[in-house]
Amino acid sequence: MEKIINFLKSKNQTIASMESCTGGLFASELTNINDSSKVFKLGLITYSNEYKEYFGISKDTIKTYTVYSNEVANEMAKVICDLAKSDFGIGVTGQLGIKDFNNNNNKLNTVYISIYDKNNNKYYNYQIEAKGDNRLQRKYFIINYIKERLYEIFKQ
């Protein structure tokens, strides 16, 4: 996470996150690093659809694609970026360690990640299978995956 903070500081850029299945772990890990306050603007945990919608995720998008989708992750990333007036927004949604319900037709531990780059108006989308023996290990798997993708994006 230190590399992320140092990169953002060097470019005078900021980041924000809207997390669901990771429960704020990205924000927590980022804020464990000194000087994170210079680049991290806002973190929201929108675990329920009600609060995803409250903060601006379209009810129609959730209904059409399900809450576990790239489309919802994209909206989460863009909404948090706009709310925080940040350069990058992270959106994370998925199912960790529970049985499928509500006919969402998604596999167990499938996670959708969107990284929105406001300055280039570009979305980076990832669909992954979270690995780990328990929920916390799967969350860390996701966070490490996001870190690696951010490093790749920053190198461009």
Side-chain angles (χ1 to χ4, degrees), residues 14-25:
T14 58
I15 195 166
S17 64
M18 183 181 287
E19 302 176 64
S20 185
C21 62
T22 49
L25 188 58

Side-chain angles (χ1 to χ4, degrees), residues 1-11 13-15 26 30 87-88 90 115-117 124 146-156:
M1 289 292 193
E2 194 167 351
K3 284 169 45 175
I4 292 169
I5 291 169
N6 289 337
F7 174 85
L8 292 169
K9 281 185 355 186
S10 75
K11 300 291 184 183
Q13 294 180 326
T14 58
I15 195 166
F26 177 81
L30 199 63
D87 297 287
F88 292 92
I90 308 292
I115 300 171
Y116 178 66
D117 176 350
Y124 298 88
I146 294 170
K147 284 191 320 191
E148 292 302 318
R149 300 302 72 80
L150 282 168
Y151 299 153
E152 290 171 2
I153 292 166
F154 292 165
K155 287 180 186 176
Q156 296 177 2

Side-chain angles (χ1 to χ4, degrees), residues 138-151:
R138 290 187 289 273
K139 286 182 181 184
Y140 273 106
F141 179 90
I142 297 162
I143 300 313
N144 288 327
Y145 187 89
I146 294 170
K147 284 191 320 191
E148 292 302 318
R149 300 302 72 80
L150 282 168
Y151 299 153

Side-chain angles (χ1 to χ4, degrees), residues 118-129:
K118 178 183 76 176
N119 299 318
N120 293 305
N121 192 31
K122 184 172 182 177
Y123 294 91
Y124 298 88
N125 293 109
Y126 310 96
Q127 179 181 333
I128 64 170
E129 297 300 318

